[in-house]
Amino acid sequence: MAATAERPARIVIENCAVATVDARDTEYAQGHVVVAGQVIESVGEGKAPEGLENVVRRIDGTGHLVTPGLVNTHHHFYQWLTRGLATDHNLFDWLVALYPTWARIDEPMVHAAAQGSLAMMARGGVTTAMDHHYVFPRGTGDLAGAIVRAARETGVRFTLARGSMDRGESDGGLPPDFAVESLDGALAATERTVARHHDASFGSMTQVAVAPCSPFSVSTELMREGAGLARRLGVRLHTHGSETVEEEKFCHELFGMGPTAYFESTGWLGEDVWMAHCVHMNDADIAAFARTGTGVAHCPSSNARLAAGIARVPDMLAAGIPVGLGVDGTASNESGELHTELRNALLVNRLGPHREAALTARQALRLGTHGGARVLGREAEIGSLEPGKLADLVLWRMDTLAHASIADPVAALVLGAAAPVTLSLVGGVPVVEDGRLLTVDEDAVARTTRDEARRLARVTAGEE
């Protein structure tokens, strides 16, 4: 008999360690998870309940750890085509070096880059991804649609942060003028993207946020009107904030105030806002984020790659600020996967003033799961293993050479080498099995991204 709403197909995973990442950090040394349709039906100690109907798959998880799927809160997919360039630059110099290339992207390039970015994350345990795309050169096709299409093909849950820039070189910005939009054009295109792609329903696979790029590439009018547009449409807001000392200096020189005060003056603090990086935050900035519920996407690998500094994550968490993890664009984090960020968040923050007390392995896992869900406004649906939540989960193999001698599976996952993914479910649907994507051909994606990266290089050099 086929599965129905009254009689959903069930997947049973048992005999595995379970880290629920719920409010009590409940864990089971040997437990089970039962999935019914797209949601989690039960989580607990020992074997799954007897007498379950319509079990279509029963998985022996011996030697494994099951966790919520990883949630990525900041990325730039298009940068998959420019990995390994400008490797010894700070942020502003890196942007100046790469904008002339990025300004040449088109729809096939963006689709290929999105496929590469999504495939790399999904095969490494990401079940919810996001992309902050803000480069829209004129006459290059439906870039937002290409990104959404790639996410659907890969099978991951997705937030498109529809970015924008209206401050080109002639207005003192960094990007070439033909790669930026007008104020009215950016707002109108963003509203069309929300209307076309945003789904606010439970279990939604695609959501859209309003996301002007950064204070140094966007006019104050676009920041202020973008915030108003997002709230009128009922969607979230995202931008870069307080990433470098140069940005802080820029804000003081141009606006007469620091980044956080500037964001507050333009309506960009609130429970519906999250910002990438937030490296250079003083006590007053942290207090303002905590007071308003503004979230943070922490990107430790990118922050190190661009020498931006160490974000005050322990202080943010102590203040109650929502914090998730971000890969960031792969031109500043060439690995392109989120497991690295679990480990680096813990290690990098221990180099700061809190030293060994900065973060624990379990706090790092929470950043990459429940913290990310909270930052994206989806903590009621994803980010922990609890009955009624969406069945976005990962079964990690922990009995190989890389991890078998580590008794604590959570410490093994966070501090050890990248763990193999035996199974990844998104809404109860398998996306990865035995380390391979089920939804797209990884080898074909690799070839396409290589070809499109080479084409982008030729176009930039004027050879096409």
Side-chain angles (χ1 to χ4, degrees):
M1 183 181 295
T4 66
E6 295 77 24
R7 193 174 182 271
R10 288 185 169 86
I11 299 174
V12 176
I13 306 171
E14 49 193 355
N15 304 322
C16 55
V18 180
T20 68
V21 200
D22 64 10
R24 299 171 299 283
D25 272 328
T26 305
E27 295 182 15
Y28 304 103
Q30 188 166 4
H32 70 270
V33 179
V34 177
V35 173
Q38 71 168 338
V39 300
I40 297 167
E41 184 174 64
S42 68
V43 183
E45 192 168 11
K47 294 278 190 178
E50 296 290 335
L52 294 173
E53 296 184 350
N54 207 26
V55 175
V56 297
R57 188 169 182 187
R58 191 176 291 271
I59 299 166
D60 180 0
T62 301
H64 287 74
L65 167 69
V66 64
T67 72
L70 302 182
V71 178
N72 180 38
T73 62
H74 186 66
H75 209 316
H76 308 296
F77 291 172
Y78 73 91
Q79 292 181 14
W80 189 263
L81 303 185
T82 57
R83 295 191 294 166
L85 304 178
T87 57
D88 302 308
H89 293 55
N90 66 27
L91 175 66
F92 276 23
D93 292 342
W94 175 82
L95 291 171
V96 169
L98 291 176
Y99 264 134
T101 298
W102 294 340
R104 303 294 178 177
I105 59 174
D106 60 22
E107 185 175 337
M109 293 176 190
V110 167
H111 180 258
Q115 278 197 320
S117 299
L118 288 157
M120 193 67 194
M121 285 187 291
R123 69 196 295 272
V126 168
T127 55
T128 296
M130 72 80 69
D131 183 32
H132 185 193
H133 188 87
Y134 51 84
V135 182
F136 290 91
R138 295 169 198 144
T140 53
D142 182 8
L143 305 189
I147 298 164
V148 171
R149 186 169 78 252
R152 288 175 179 157
E153 292 162 350
T154 308
V156 299
R157 216 170 294 285
F158 180 57
T159 295
L160 173 63
R162 203 292 180 183
S164 52
M165 300 185 292
D166 68 341
R167 189 194 294 274
E169 286 180 308
S170 63
D171 293 321
L174 299 178
D177 285 348
F178 68 85
V180 304
E181 300 171 279
S182 68
L183 170 65
D184 291 340
L187 292 169
T190 301
E191 184 162 5
R192 286 195 302 270
T193 302
V194 173
R196 186 173 301 160
H197 298 296
H198 182 69
D199 177 4
S201 66
F202 179 84
S204 162
M205 292 298 290
T206 307
Q207 297 194 347
V208 179
V210 174
C213 182
S214 64
F216 51 85
S217 59
V218 169
S219 68
T220 297
E221 292 77 16
L222 182 51
M223 291 296 294
R224 186 172 289 118
E225 293 192 34
L229 174 67
R231 290 178 176 128
R232 175 168 61 83
L233 299 177
V235 298
R236 298 181 74 76
L237 300 85
H238 181 60
T239 192
H240 296 89
S242 301
E243 185 174 358
T244 65
V245 291
E246 291 84 3
E247 178 188 336
E248 184 167 2
K249 180 181 178 183
F250 176 92
C251 286
H252 277 287
E253 289 178 350
L254 197 64
F255 310 123
M257 64 186 85
T260 299
Y262 174 68
F263 287 132
E264 188 155 32
S265 75
T266 55
W268 272 80
L269 295 184
E271 293 181 353
D272 54 356
V273 180
W274 85 102
M275 297 190 194
H277 304 296
C278 299
V279 174
H280 297 278
M281 301 268 282
N282 59 32
D283 290 347
D285 297 329
I286 289 176
F289 272 54
R291 182 185 75 249
T292 57
T294 305
V296 172
H298 177 44
C299 306
S301 295
S302 177
N303 293 344
R305 161 80 151 78
L306 295 174
I310 302 173
R312 296 174 58 185
V313 172
D315 297 328
M316 295 177 190
L317 294 176
I321 294 173
V323 182
L325 293 180
V327 169
D328 203 8
T330 47
S332 65
N333 178 5
E334 277 73 5
S335 75
E337 59 91 36
L338 202 67
H339 176 272
T340 304
E341 306 313 305
L342 298 177
R343 190 171 192 266
N344 284 350
L346 187 152
L347 298 180
V348 168
N349 280 282
R350 287 189 179 184
L351 295 175
H354 295 277
R355 301 181 61 185
E356 70 276 7
L359 288 177
T360 67
R362 282 161 177 80
Q363 284 177 305
L365 178 60
R366 177 171 288 276
L367 290 176
T369 53
H370 186 270
R374 188 179 172 200
V375 163
L376 295 181
R378 304 199 70 171
E379 68 270 28
E381 300 174 89
I382 60 173
S384 60
L385 302 179
E386 300 180 73
K389 284 198 169 184
L390 294 166
D392 292 10
L393 58 84
V394 179
L395 187 64
W396 309 88
R397 187 174 177 187
M398 310 304 294
D399 62 357
T400 68
L401 174 64
H403 304 94
S405 62
I406 305 176
D408 179 352
V410 174
L413 178 68
V414 172
L415 290 170
V421 174
T422 293
L423 180 68
S424 175
L425 301 179
V426 178
V429 177
V431 172
V432 177
E433 289 208 35
D434 297 324
R436 295 290 293 184
L437 280 163
L438 302 176
T439 50
V440 296
D441 182 335
E442 293 179 33
D443 296 331
V445 171
R447 289 191 297 272
T448 302
T449 56
R450 177 198 61 201
D451 293 345
E452 291 298 327
R454 290 175 176 174
R455 185 168 71 89
L456 176 58
R458 293 195 300 271
V459 169
T460 303
E463 297 171 5
E464 286 193 14

